Amino acid sequence: MISSWPPPPPRLDAAELLHRFKSAAIISSDDWETAEVYIHDQLSVIVPLPDKSYGPAARELIREVLTALKDMDNDVREVCLAHQKKSRFRLPEFNAALKGVSFEKPDFVVLSYYSYDLDSDWDESFTKSGDRWTLVPR
């Protein structure tokens, strides 16, 4: 058996992510102030639970962001590639994995990434306006 490092990032197909979400493991370590949902081996979603219940509202927030996740990730990758093109240093091909999604508010989400090429991690923020999640410029 051939093992690969880095492990491949999770596929961001909305239908597959929503399917995995149906049987996802749910953990809370803070008396249900938040719930952490493991959608994939490498992807978790943290959602606040104002009423301390993992109810329909929390699940709908997760479904909503999973549906848009591929587009959100593409926006991040476009910005990263644009920064690489502007750099005077020759950087390796962009090789990063989306590791987590954290809701700061129902309309504000942080995506956490890990770059295998640079051995670093970083976050990107999105706000929701209408039906679209928009990358917050730095």
Side-chain angles (χ1 to χ4, degrees):
M1 178 177 194
I2 298 172
S3 68
S4 65
W5 185 259
R11 289 189 54 216
L12 294 180
D13 175 70
E16 182 179 337
L17 290 172
L18 290 168
H19 176 72
R20 289 175 183 255
F21 175 51
K22 289 179 184 176
S23 60
I26 302 150
I27 297 172
S28 173
S29 59
D30 55 7
D31 296 322
W32 294 100
E33 293 290 331
T34 62
E36 185 164 7
V37 181
Y38 288 93
I39 307 298
H40 186 276
D41 296 346
Q42 301 170 26
L43 180 64
S44 68
V45 179
I46 298 174
V47 62
L49 303 173
D51 58 359
K52 296 190 177 207
S53 168
Y54 182 68
R59 291 191 297 275
E60 182 56 33
L61 283 176
I62 294 171
R63 277 191 290 275
E64 185 179 300
V65 82
L66 291 178
T67 301
L69 199 54
K70 184 174 183 176
D71 291 335
M72 295 164 74
D73 182 62
N74 285 341
D75 291 348
V76 170
R77 290 176 186 278
E78 284 179 20
V79 169
C80 290
L81 290 172
H83 284 298
Q84 282 187 347
K85 287 179 182 177
K86 291 179 187 177
S87 173
R88 61 187 173 111
F89 300 104
R90 186 79 176 134
L91 296 173
E93 181 180 339
F94 182 70
N95 184 17
L98 176 61
K99 303 300 271 182
V101 177
S102 298
F103 282 89
E104 303 295 318
K105 301 179 203 170
D107 61 350
F108 188 84
V109 171
V110 176
L111 303 185
S112 299
Y113 285 85
Y114 179 79
S115 171
Y116 298 103
D117 296 330
L118 304 174
D119 192 24
S120 64
D121 53 4
W122 79 96
D123 295 332
E124 297 289 348
S125 301
F126 284 80
T127 58
K128 185 167 184 203
S129 54
D131 290 338
R132 173 109 171 102
W133 289 95
T134 305
L135 183 63
V136 175
R138 291 181 177 218

